[in-house]
Amino acid sequence: MSEPILPGAVLGVMGSGQLGRMFAIAARRLGYRVHTFSPEYDTPTGQVADKEVTASYDDETAVREFAREIAVLTFEFENVPSRTVEWAAEHCPVRPSGKVLHICQHRLREKEFLAGAGLPVAPFRRIESAEELAASAKTIGLPGVLKTAAFGYDGKGQRKLAPSDDLTAAWQPFAGQPAVLEKFITFEREISVLVARGVDGAITTWPVCENEHANHILDITYCPARIPVEVAARARELAHKVAVALELVGVLAVEMFLLANGEIVINELAPRPHNSGHFSFDASVTSQFEQQVRAVCGLPLGSTESLRPAAMANLLGDAWSKGEPNWAGALKLPEVKLHLYGKATPKPGRKMGHLVAFGRDVDEAAEIVRAARAALVPHS
Ligand code: AMP
């Protein structure tokens, strides 16, 4: 096994949003230096990094130069082109590997991988034409969800299909690129499990998160999820199996649907820290961001035990609709933690920050976090 990368070394992160920012904060706390690479300036990650490189992922010279200066490369988003990762890999270790990224940046590859590993996914078919859509709709049965195979997130590039829909018309916006038709799953709850795997193969999972969405964007996360202990154990076991099957080094989120009969279906993977794991920065012995540092540096993983039941609420640009939010109003609640990502322009639907609150149980924590968020909007 390779030598660990020790504090003082330079860690590289591709992508420069809030996930990279929190990774950089965790890395700096441990005494590392952080460089970030993305096509943007004055980014959430760049603002707290030692160096912000602004260049295209297709700029081979810039990618190689970046990779030469760092001890290891990791990611805060998975849609970095494969050849960018290959260039970097000639100069430094890349964790998670290009193989993991390649699988997770494409819904079809991801589902085929999971199904091939014997893990539960919704019935799905590859679709490349209106005819294939019609044929697969018959085999799988509608309702279903049609999703672009690449570059979808937060419900973008997908559409629910009802049995009465005109499938030829529904296919039009998807034409020209591969898509996936999935059976619509009637779930009771959406849950996620964050899992980390170290260079030595050690694996940790955090307690299961329960997620509520609004307009396809994560709204509230409760941790621990309000589910039976036995179901939580199965969900964590599934995430563990995903990490083993992928030979992951780093942190990965496994989004799942929990059905009324207790069955669990994996929806999708994100090979990086995840919005549903933000609670861990305040509410866990080791956050998902610190664990990413430990994992990619080849250090022992930390405990994922929760300190308190917690709830996280996302803060979208919509909170600025009546002017600058009333920060003091939210912070008046002493158990509330405020995280802002340093983004200059609030736009509706844009993730600007989040709030975390604690409670005797997650319902109480959620009540507090919702009250804090409501207090942000100035009264007219
Ligand atoms: P995704 O982009 O795949 O994470 O999907 C976004 C959201 O759409 C999920 O969080 C679910 O609420 C919903 N969704 C996606 N796929 C399905 C499915 N097969 N059945 C039911 N709901 C789904």
Side-chain angles (χ1 to χ4, degrees):
M1 205 175 84
S2 55
E3 287 297 305
I5 297 161
L6 297 175
V10 182
L11 312 183
V13 57
M14 279 205 171
S16 58
Q18 60 269 18
L19 301 173
R21 181 184 181 91
M22 291 183 268
F23 167 79
I25 292 170
R28 287 190 138 206
R29 217 166 65 163
L30 279 161
Y32 291 95
R33 292 179 173 274
V34 179
H35 291 186
T36 174
F37 187 109
S38 83
E40 279 123 41
Y41 289 102
D42 189 30
T43 58
T45 311
Q47 289 167 12
V48 300
D50 293 87
K51 185 169 173 182
E52 177 179 60
V53 175
T54 303
S56 159
Y57 294 116
D58 298 323
D59 183 340
E60 180 172 353
T61 310
V63 170
R64 288 186 186 277
E65 205 172 298
F66 178 76
R68 269 190 221 107
E69 289 184 2
I70 57 181
V72 61
L73 175 64
T74 190
F75 305 90
E76 70 111 48
F77 94 127
E78 58 273 33
N79 289 324
V80 173
S82 291
R83 61 183 188 150
T84 307
V85 179
E86 284 158 21
W87 295 329
E90 288 177 27
H91 306 281
C92 65
V94 175
R95 296 171 179 161
S97 67
K99 185 194 94 176
V100 172
L101 256 66
H102 185 70
I103 292 170
C104 297
Q105 55 191 210
H106 196 267
R107 289 187 196 277
L108 200 61
R109 280 199 289 269
E110 188 174 282
K111 285 193 190 297
E112 280 166 355
F113 175 83
L114 290 168
L119 294 160
V121 291
F124 67 96
R125 291 284 185 285
R126 179 193 184 97
I127 309 290
E128 294 205 61
S129 66
E131 293 72 37
E132 283 182 6
L133 177 59
S136 296
K138 278 207 188 105
T139 14
I140 292 184
L142 295 181
V145 186
L146 184 61
K147 303 179 177 181
T148 52
F151 300 115
Y153 68 98
D154 285 346
K156 292 190 172 67
Q158 63 172 270
R159 168 176 173 175
K160 189 174 170 186
L161 293 178
S164 57
D165 281 341
D166 174 347
L167 298 183
T168 310
W171 173 249
Q172 282 321 305
F174 290 82
Q177 52 183 331
V180 184
L181 176 68
E182 280 174 36
K183 190 163 179 62
F184 185 83
I185 303 293
T186 307
F187 53 79
E188 194 177 75
R189 290 171 201 264
E190 291 195 71
I191 57 175
S192 56
V193 179
L194 270 300
V195 55
R197 183 170 173 276
V199 171
D200 61 356
I203 292 181
T204 60
T205 57
W206 280 260
V208 180
C209 299
E210 177 181 341
N211 305 315
E212 284 175 4
H213 296 81
N215 301 321
H216 296 287
I217 301 174
L218 181 63
D219 185 40
I220 303 273
T221 293
Y222 305 77
C223 189
R226 296 164 297 181
I227 57 177
V229 178
E230 168 275 321
V231 176
R234 264 194 292 126
R236 291 174 80 162
E237 186 53 33
L238 282 177
H240 186 110
K241 284 184 178 159
V242 171
V244 171
L246 281 173
E247 295 174 46
L248 173 77
V249 176
V251 169
L252 175 131
V254 186
E255 294 180 28
M256 308 172 187
F257 300 135
L258 174 59
L259 281 59
N261 64 5
E263 202 184 316
I264 298 171
V265 170
I266 296 179
N267 175 33
E268 67 174 356
L269 309 178
R272 49 165 170 79
H274 188 259
N275 198 167
S276 64
H278 287 1
F279 77 92
S280 65
F281 219 165
D282 300 301
S284 302
V285 174
T286 312
S287 73
Q288 59 173 347
F289 305 103
E290 178 178 336
Q291 204 79 307
Q292 184 181 15
V293 175
R294 289 171 177 245
V296 303
C297 288
L299 292 170
L301 301 182
S303 161
T304 54
E305 199 182 321
S306 285
L307 300 167
R308 300 273 300 275
M312 187 272 330
N314 267 337
L315 276 184
L316 303 182
D318 311 60
W320 275 251
S321 62
K322 293 188 181 163
E324 186 68 16
N326 178 7
W327 304 121
L331 293 173
K332 231 186 243 167
L333 296 157
E335 299 250 340
V336 166
K337 310 291 279 183
L338 170 67
H339 296 250
L340 290 171
Y341 307 148
K343 297 182 184 177
T345 326
K347 290 186 205 141
R350 188 174 196 205
K351 291 175 183 171
M352 302 295 289
H354 67 268
L355 295 160
V356 174
F358 311 103
R360 277 165 297 186
D361 57 33
V362 290
D363 288 310
E364 186 182 70
E367 209 175 293
I368 298 169
V369 91
R370 283 181 205 276
R373 190 165 62 177
L376 284 176
V377 181
H379 299 293
S380 45

